[in-house]
Amino acid sequence: MRDAKRILEEKDISPSLQRVIILKYLQEHPNHPTVEDVYHDLIDDIPTLSKTTIYNTLKLFTQKGIVYQLAVPGNEAHYDYSEGYHAHLLCEECGGIFDIESDISLNIENDLEGHLILGIEVIYRGICRNCRKE
Amino acid sequence: MRDAKRILEEKDISPSLQRVIILKYLQEHPNHPTVEDVYHDLIDDIPTLSKTTIYNTLKLFTQKGIVYQLAVPGNEAHYDYSEGYHAHLLCEECGGIFDIESDISLNIENDLEGHLILGIEVIYRGICRNCRKE
DNA sequence: TTGACTTTTATAATGATTACAAAAATGTAG
DNA sequence: CTACATTTTTGTAATCATTATAAAAGTCAA
Ligand SMILES: [Mn+2]
Ligand SMILES: [Mn+2]
Ligand SMILES: [Zn+2]
Ligand SMILES: [Zn+2]
């Protein structure tokens, strides 16, 4: 796992205590946590931590391309730090978000119908393997 | 363009005045309108129209698979009625949503890593051809 | 016409996110 | 070290989209 502090410095973000801890949390929790999840799990370590800081920090990380913000209709945003590209499966039964290996990003054109393409997000909808057993 | 009333009947939705008008609006406006857009454009035709009805109707349509709800982080939901599958480009400059021809859906497996796959959504992020000129 | 049922409507409530301004932390010149 | 400017964090209030609720209106068949 890459050093959180270094990642921030490379993106010209001063590595404050809160920012480093939030980034480390995302590195250690690839399960697409929400702002609420981050807050709930970190408030014991930093009792002064504010939800506003988490919102601000995750917005900053998203803008700098450090994390990916995953939108789910009508729900909170989920955040994803990951080194490698992957797609996601959104379970219609339990609402869970699962990583899916994918090679789609490999064949990205950087120009599609005149638009400049910077990235791609693939979301599958379906029933996850857990819910499927029932 | 398929008859809106018939589409609703096929999905066991009683074709009330409001539902038919909202579906027709979506058919005639493939530019991914929001609830606000629908309300703004239809309130003159039906002065009694309520925003709640639009929310309820679009949720119903989404559940029945008539329209597709497109989530954009931190913003309103956009709705898409369309016969054929296509991907979308989300412009980081102007926020616009553009249709992109895509054949990705053709090679969908119905089983990926144990999950049951029902659909796929592909979102490109980038700069649209309009913003690119500047 | 009555009454059951569906649909729409207006209003209030909720929940996520952002705006704002004060407090705390950090860095730097003297 | 101290004084001051700048950045970062924090708590609170405001905003915005969406949902809950219950009354009103519409539909339909006995
Ligand atoms: Mn992921
Ligand atoms: Mn579209
Ligand atoms: Zn599931
Ligand atoms: Zn654009």
Side-chain angles (χ1 to χ4, degrees), chain A residues 89 91-96 98 126-132:
Chain A
L89 172 102
C91 178
E92 294 185 352
E93 190 83 15
C94 66
F98 298 81
I127 309 292
C128 80
R129 55 185 159 228
N130 302 331
C131 293
R132 213 173 167 184

Side-chain angles (χ1 to χ4, degrees), chain A residues 16-86:
Chain A
S16 71
L17 177 72
Q18 288 84 344
R19 286 169 178 164
V20 171
I21 289 185
I22 291 172
L23 180 50
K24 278 185 181 167
Y25 178 87
L26 291 174
Q27 289 182 313
E28 294 163 1
H29 297 81
N31 56 324
H32 319 102
T34 64
V35 165
E36 182 61 38
D37 294 330
V38 178
Y39 181 78
H40 175 271
D41 290 350
L42 292 183
I43 190 61
D44 288 332
D45 298 313
I46 320 176
T48 65
L49 184 64
S50 163
K51 236 178 224 180
T52 302
T53 298
I54 301 174
Y55 274 105
N56 291 340
T57 301
L58 292 180
K59 174 176 280 190
L60 177 65
F61 288 179
T62 302
Q63 287 166 344
K64 292 285 190 172
I66 297 176
V67 303
Y68 194 83
Q69 190 182 30
L70 187 58
V72 181
N75 286 108
E76 310 151 82
H78 294 255
Y79 293 86
D80 193 340
Y81 169 88
S82 68
E83 318 257 342
Y85 176 82
H86 57 269

Side-chain angles (χ1 to χ4, degrees), chain B residues 91-96 98 126-132:
Chain B
C91 178
E92 295 184 351
E93 192 82 15
C94 66
F98 299 80
I127 309 293
C128 79
R129 56 185 157 227
N130 302 331
C131 293
R132 214 174 167 183

Side-chain angles (χ1 to χ4, degrees), chain A residues 89-90 92 124-127, chain B residues 108-111 115-120:
Chain A
L89 172 102
L90 185 53
E92 294 185 352
Y124 294 94
R125 283 172 305 102
I127 309 292
Chain B
I108 287 191
E109 305 284 333
N110 69 345
D111 184 304
H115 309 293
L116 173 67
I117 305 300
L118 298 174
I120 184 176

Side-chain angles (χ1 to χ4, degrees), chain B residues 22 27 42 67 70-71 89 96 98 111 124-125 130:
Chain B
I22 291 171
Q27 289 182 313
L42 292 183
V67 304
L70 187 58
L89 172 101
F98 299 80
D111 184 304
Y124 294 94
R125 283 172 305 102
N130 302 331

